[in-house]
Amino acid sequence: MRFLQIKHLTAEDLNSAVELDRLCFGGLWTLEGYGRELGSSNSDLLGLWASETEVSASEGFDSELESIEPNSILNSKLLSVENSSPATPNSKLTPNLIGLGCLWAILEEAHITILAIHPRFQGQGLGQALLWALLTKAHYRQLERATLEVRGSNLAAVSLYNKFGFKEAGRRKKYYKDTGEDALVMWRSGIDKPEFKQYLTVEKVQICDRLHQKNWHLASDNFEF
């Protein structure tokens, strides 16, 4: 079985974060930039980790975790366990960072600055889980609304944000320097309301159901903050 965990990044995770950033964005933030996020009380920098049991690995299940190229960020410890711990049929292998999410708390707003899933794991509901976690953090911070920028051509991302109630509020002309493409500015209001907490509870059940269909398991104690 494959397992997921969402938690805050630590200093030990920054090199993996930078490598994932380069893979997804071509190098949006530097190591120093991610380090500043760790030191800011107004920032939540979350990571999504994947691991699997030795049984599923040895039987050839879940080939995404086994087929990462030799020099990728997921390969170094994926199919190993600590030498001091004897292997058991149910032991989990070393988790690997496959997703990043970050928000800035600015006055009453949650500005979502990063949402990235390793390309090998896209289309499995992992982006939904990470966005859910960011909005949960924003709700607990009692922020009133969330905002973000996204390429209009990134239809999958736009669809994801629409699913969570984001609406297009405008455009930033030629925002993306690599292509000159405009950015859609999207907003989601009411995230401080009691009913939004109920909404998050319903979404969590649906997200977990989809993950289970993709053979992912997200333990409830790893899905809370």
Side-chain angles (χ1 to χ4, degrees):
M1 180 177 289
R2 300 184 300 180
F3 293 86
L4 293 171
Q5 182 179 26
I6 299 175
K7 62 180 181 179
H8 286 89
L9 267 70
T10 66
E12 290 74 21
D13 304 318
L14 293 185
N15 286 328
S16 294
V18 171
E19 291 187 42
L20 183 56
D21 180 298
R22 289 172 182 163
L23 181 64
C24 295
F25 301 121
L28 182 63
W29 287 0
T30 64
L31 183 68
E32 292 74 17
Y34 279 102
R36 284 193 294 271
E37 298 306 311
L38 292 184
S40 172
S41 61
N42 294 321
S43 177
D44 284 304
L45 181 58
L46 303 180
L48 176 67
W49 275 263
S51 61
E52 62 182 336
T53 61
E54 285 196 310
V55 169
S56 63
S58 64
E59 294 181 356
F61 297 155
D62 312 317
S63 59
E64 295 101 326
L65 288 176
E66 297 181 351
S67 61
I68 303 300
E69 295 89 342
N71 293 323
S72 80
I73 60 171
L74 298 182
N75 184 71
S76 59
K77 295 183 179 179
L78 182 59
L79 298 180
S80 65
V81 293
E82 294 183 10
N83 293 333
S84 59
S85 300
T88 63
N90 295 319
S91 59
K92 277 191 276 187
L93 303 180
T94 304
N96 294 271
L97 183 67
I98 64 168
L100 286 171
C102 184
L103 71 78
W104 294 343
I106 304 174
L107 298 178
E108 296 85 17
E109 297 175 8
H111 189 170
I112 297 174
T113 56
I114 291 281
L115 185 65
I117 300 295
H118 190 290
R120 287 286 182 89
F121 299 92
Q122 293 176 5
Q124 301 183 44
L126 304 183
Q128 292 183 29
L130 200 47
L131 181 56
W132 181 95
L134 289 170
L135 292 175
T136 299
K137 291 297 297 184
H139 175 74
Y140 286 148
R141 281 181 176 269
Q142 298 183 316
L143 302 176
E144 296 177 3
R145 51 194 174 272
T147 184
L148 54 86
E149 292 88 19
V150 60
R151 295 176 190 262
S153 62
N154 191 344
L155 299 181
V158 173
S159 177
L160 170 63
Y161 299 136
N162 284 334
K163 180 183 184 302
F164 277 83
F166 283 83
K167 305 296 183 184
E168 181 180 344
R171 290 176 177 257
R172 300 193 192 280
K173 295 294 184 180
K174 299 181 178 180
Y175 183 80
Y176 296 101
K177 295 180 181 179
D178 57 341
T179 62
E181 185 177 356
D182 296 351
L184 304 184
V185 181
M186 304 188 75
W187 288 86
R188 207 308 183 180
S189 60
I191 62 176
D192 60 328
K193 305 297 184 183
E195 54 266 30
F196 188 73
K197 185 175 182 180
Q198 299 173 1
Y199 166 82
L200 290 172
T201 300
V202 173
E203 285 297 314
K204 175 181 175 180
V205 173
Q206 296 178 356
I207 290 168
C208 287
D209 285 346
R210 183 180 181 190
L211 292 174
H212 288 159
Q213 293 172 8
K214 299 293 184 178
N215 297 320
W216 291 108
H217 176 70
L218 189 54
S220 60
D221 59 345
N222 289 333
F223 213 31
E224 307 288 353
F225 302 96

